[in-house]
Amino acid sequence: MIQRILITGGAGFIGSRLALCLLAKGHAVRVLDNLSPQVHGANPEASPLFRSIQGKVEFLHGSVTNRTDLMKALSGIETVIHLAAETGTGQSMYAIRHYTDVNIGGTALLLDLIANESFPVRKIVVASSRAVYGEGKYWCRDHGSVFPVGRFAENMKNGNFEVHCPLCGVPARLAPTDEDAPVRPASVYGITKLTQEQMVLTIGKALRISALAFRYQNVYGPGQSLSNPYTGILSIFSTRIRNGGCINIFEDGKESRDFVFIDDVVAATISGIESEASLVDVFNVGSGVAIDVSTIANGLQRMLGQTVPVRVSGQFRMGDIRHSLADLTKVRALLGFEPAVTMEEGLRRFVSWVIGEGVQADWYEESLRELETKGLLK
């Protein structure tokens, strides 16, 4: 069924790719985006992400925090895909008011208008994050499944970065985290994403409309900002490599993430958009594989054909988690999603795209100095 769809943040990394795929499937797509320089660079309207959708979708330059902009954007819309948000674990720990104003305030305003005005919205999809889990699920040899609250700074200062069983204190083994796991965000960013999804699901249920929250893992791929130093390990590392800079790997380099390719994220999201089932639910979206950061750094150097110094520094950021790994059982069963792109293939596609892009200015060291100044980088 053809839908009239609004994508907030639709000029961004995920949003622009999603918009093009929805257009190809015949849907009518409107995008609301503020073209943030942090994502699109100093000349946002010249950014490749914006140019990829320019003239193809109905584009509104505006903000989800502005009532007038949202009123215009929601007119005639049946499905809302709410992607607009500030992202970045480290930055969220000091830009607290800004993250809550945009992520929580913007979502509240969006839902307020849907609840109180006569828009024909019948489905809301919100981009949540694996950050809502905090450390997530682990396995203890004596206590089975456990959900550690977090790690202690004093332990990490002494080089003890692993997660321990909260009941007996022995090292715990990573396990896939399912959607029924306790939600214990370890950063302001994670808190805002949890609040977003809770508001969307609550209002969806109250209004008797479908509401889906997708807990995306670490999304990567062509189109990811290469100049944003606050988010995206692969983008940060590739820009460092191309500039000949040293790669600073936090902790001991064994911290791992569930990296999921952009095309898989778009496919999962579209499965929810086009599902005819009336759902109010949350879904993990990932690859189901955890890969450590050192492996990513080495793979990027190999594929880019450049070698730079790699420093496993032992530094750590407050708010970071140790590992992440998504349990995909639910999204497979209810939405039929199956990740299709392996890490090796995804890296190859990402690097092929990076090589075709100009070498970006590297602001990573400045972002670290900001964290150090705030006492958030140890």
Side-chain angles (χ1 to χ4, degrees):
M1 183 178 70
I2 301 304
Q3 301 177 45
R4 291 172 292 174
I5 298 172
L6 168 67
I7 308 177
T8 70
F13 172 41
I14 298 174
S16 58
R17 184 70 69 98
L18 177 61
L20 294 175
C21 288
L22 289 170
L23 284 173
K25 294 171 76 65
H27 299 290
V29 179
R30 179 183 296 157
V31 164
L32 174 68
D33 201 295
N34 69 351
L35 297 181
S36 166
Q38 185 164 301
V39 175
H40 296 276
N43 186 11
E45 293 190 358
S47 79
L49 290 176
F50 175 66
R51 292 204 311 268
S52 72
I53 62 170
Q54 191 175 24
K56 300 173 184 176
V57 302
E58 180 187 354
F59 179 76
L60 301 178
H61 190 178
S63 171
V64 291
T65 62
N66 183 290
R67 180 185 178 89
T68 301
D69 293 343
L70 275 177
M71 286 288 289
K72 185 176 181 181
L74 285 166
S75 177
I77 291 297
E78 298 164 316
T79 299
V80 175
I81 317 301
H82 185 39
L83 306 182
E86 293 292 353
T87 61
T89 298
Q91 188 183 39
S92 78
M93 298 295 282
Y94 60 87
I96 301 163
R97 176 67 182 271
H98 181 60
Y99 269 69
T100 54
D101 283 350
V102 174
N103 296 4
I104 297 176
T107 304
L109 180 56
L110 172 69
L111 295 174
D112 192 272
L113 294 177
I114 292 172
N116 291 291
E117 304 294 335
S118 56
F119 299 115
V121 174
R122 291 294 173 264
K123 177 176 287 188
I124 309 171
V125 176
V126 63
S128 186
S129 168
R130 71 88 36 225
V132 304
Y133 295 118
E135 290 293 348
K137 188 176 183 178
Y138 283 76
W139 180 263
C140 172
R141 65 189 181 193
D142 295 322
H143 298 99
S145 296
V146 293
F147 302 91
V149 174
R151 296 178 291 167
F152 298 101
E154 285 305 313
N155 289 343
M156 291 192 283
K157 286 178 182 178
N158 293 324
N160 184 358
F161 299 110
E162 288 299 342
V163 174
H164 296 78
C165 173
L167 301 176
C168 65
V170 303
R173 177 166 51 88
L174 177 66
T177 301
D178 60 76
E179 293 86 348
D180 290 329
V183 284
R184 293 169 173 168
S187 66
V188 171
Y189 169 70
I191 292 169
T192 66
K193 299 310 286 185
L194 178 58
T195 304
Q196 278 187 308
E197 71 168 54
Q198 289 177 329
M199 287 195 294
V200 167
L201 297 178
T202 299
I203 297 305
K205 184 176 181 180
L207 298 181
R208 297 182 180 179
I209 61 177
S210 290
L212 305 177
F214 286 108
R215 293 173 176 170
Y216 299 141
Q217 305 295 303
N218 284 61
V219 187
Y220 74 98
Q224 192 167 20
S225 175
L226 295 172
S227 59
N228 186 348
Y230 299 104
T231 185
I233 292 174
L234 279 84
S235 293
I236 292 169
F237 283 0
S238 62
T239 295
R240 296 290 287 170
I241 293 167
R242 299 189 79 198
N243 279 282
C246 174
I247 296 179
N248 177 15
I249 297 180
F250 293 157
E251 302 187 16
D252 58 2
K254 297 177 182 178
E255 62 275 20
S256 67
R257 298 291 183 267
D258 185 328
F259 294 97
V260 56
F261 194 69
I262 179 64
D263 290 358
D264 283 335
V265 168
V266 168
T269 306
I270 289 177
S271 71
I273 294 168
E274 295 188 335
S275 172
E276 295 184 5
S278 181
L279 296 172
V280 177
D281 217 337
V282 298
F283 295 95
N284 288 333
V285 176
S287 67
V289 178
I291 299 177
D292 68 65
V293 174
S294 290
T295 297
I296 295 297
N298 292 334
L300 285 171
Q301 291 182 88
R302 171 172 51 85
M303 291 188 180
L304 285 167
Q306 293 179 245
T307 301
V308 299
V310 175
R311 175 174 172 252
V312 180
S313 65
Q315 291 178 297
F316 59 93
R317 296 186 307 182
M318 301 305 298
D320 272 350
I321 58 156
R322 178 61 171 171
H323 302 294
S324 67
L325 177 61
D327 185 322
L328 304 180
T329 303
K330 186 176 180 180
V331 72
R332 284 181 171 124
L334 295 185
L335 296 181
F337 167 70
E338 186 68 40
V341 182
T342 64
M343 191 72 222
E344 183 72 11
E345 174 63 15
L347 268 181
R348 186 190 64 77
R349 294 191 203 176
F350 175 72
V351 167
S352 178
W353 169 75
V354 167
I355 291 171
E357 297 294 304
V359 179
Q360 302 294 309
D362 184 2
W363 303 105
Y364 186 58
E365 293 295 336
E366 285 76 1
S367 73
L368 293 187
R369 282 194 287 272
E370 282 185 4
L371 289 172
E372 287 180 315
T373 300
K374 308 292 183 182
L376 296 169
L377 179 65
K378 306 296 184 180

